[in-house]
């Protein structure tokens, strides 16, 4: 599961470097739920891009194929016969999510994120000292 996240993050980082945020094969736009967060079950004409974690049921697009080749793996490798409970068929994941209710006062960050998003990743963007 951690490697799936690594592949997703590497893919997203490369897209950001290339400034290529077009919807690719297997991706789509989603709508917003009642809390103001992207909802991958709500397909839309525009909005937040829903990418995917590669898994054993993923039909890879061109870029995902290159990523798999780079690491010399196949999608079948995400299906483990010895430990089937950790098989991963793949899953939708938003490329970006908003920081709702954002506030920074008295050296304290406050914000809301949707389930499955990591506050540590968001905070890293604020605290990154590399320029």
């Amino acid at each position: 599961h951690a490697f799936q996240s690594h592949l997703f993050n590497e893919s997203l980082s490369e897209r950001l470097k290339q400034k290529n945020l077009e919807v690719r094969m297997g991706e789509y736009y989603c709508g917003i739920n009642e809390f103001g967060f992207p909802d991958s079950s709500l397909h839309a004409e525009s909005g937040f891009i829903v990418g995917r974690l590669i898994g054993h049921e993923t039909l890879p697009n061109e870029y995902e194929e290159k990523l798999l080749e780079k690491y010399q793996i196949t999608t079948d490798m995400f299906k483990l016969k010895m430990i089937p409970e950790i098989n991963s068929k793949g899953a939708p994941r938003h490329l970006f999510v908003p920081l709702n209710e954002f506030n920074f006062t008295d050296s304290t960050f406050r914000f809301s994120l949707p389930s499955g998003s990591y506050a540590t990743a968001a905070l890293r963007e604020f605290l990154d000292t590399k320029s």
Side-chain angles (χ1 to χ4, degrees), residues 103-116:
N103 190 340
F104 179 73
T105 54
D106 299 322
S107 299
T108 302
F109 288 93
R110 294 184 192 278
F111 53 87
S112 297
L113 288 171
S115 177

Side-chain angles (χ1 to χ4, degrees), residues 5 27 51 75 77 103:
S5 291
E27 299 179 339
T75 57
M77 292 177 168
N103 190 340

Side-chain angles (χ1 to χ4, degrees), residues 8 16 24 32-33 36 38 41 43 46-47 51 59 65-67 70-71 77 86-88 106 114 119 121 123 125:
F8 179 86
L16 289 171
R24 295 177 173 168
I32 305 293
N33 67 19
S41 70
H43 290 248
S46 63
L59 176 61
E65 279 288 346
K66 290 178 185 173
L67 197 55
K70 174 183 174 182
Y71 288 100
M77 292 177 168
I86 66 169
N87 284 347
S88 186
D106 299 322
L123 288 172
E125 297 302 315

Side-chain angles (χ1 to χ4, degrees), residues 6 9-10 31 60 64 68-69 73 77 79 87-88 95 102 105 107-108 122 129:
H6 172 76
N9 292 339
E10 184 174 327
E64 291 164 337
L68 293 170
E69 287 173 18
I73 61 171
M77 292 177 168
K79 191 169 194 170
N87 284 347
S88 186
L95 300 191
F102 182 83
T105 54
S107 299
T108 302
T129 57

Side-chain angles (χ1 to χ4, degrees), residues 23 27-32 39-50:
V23 174
E27 299 179 339
Y28 58 93
Y29 291 106
C30 73
I32 305 293
D39 184 336
S40 58
S41 70
L42 302 173
H43 290 248
E45 294 294 317
S46 63
F48 289 91
I49 298 175
V50 178

Side-chain angles (χ1 to χ4, degrees), residues 52-95:
R52 55 197 180 167
L53 293 173
I54 298 171
H56 65 83
E57 290 185 3
T58 303
L59 176 61
N61 61 34
E62 184 179 333
Y63 184 79
E64 291 164 337
E65 279 288 346
K66 290 178 185 173
L67 197 55
L68 293 170
E69 287 173 18
K70 174 183 174 182
Y71 288 100
Q72 300 177 357
I73 61 171
T74 66
T75 57
D76 291 338
M77 292 177 168
F78 291 102
K79 191 169 194 170
L80 304 171
K81 293 176 186 168
M82 299 295 284
I83 317 170
E85 57 272 12
I86 66 169
N87 284 347
S88 186
K89 63 182 180 177
R93 179 175 276 183
H94 304 102
L95 300 191

Side-chain angles (χ1 to χ4, degrees), residues 14-26:
E14 187 61 32
R15 288 172 84 163
L16 289 171
K17 285 179 194 169
Q18 295 174 359
K19 298 182 180 173
N20 180 358
L21 296 177
E22 305 268 328
V23 174
R24 295 177 173 168
M25 183 188 88

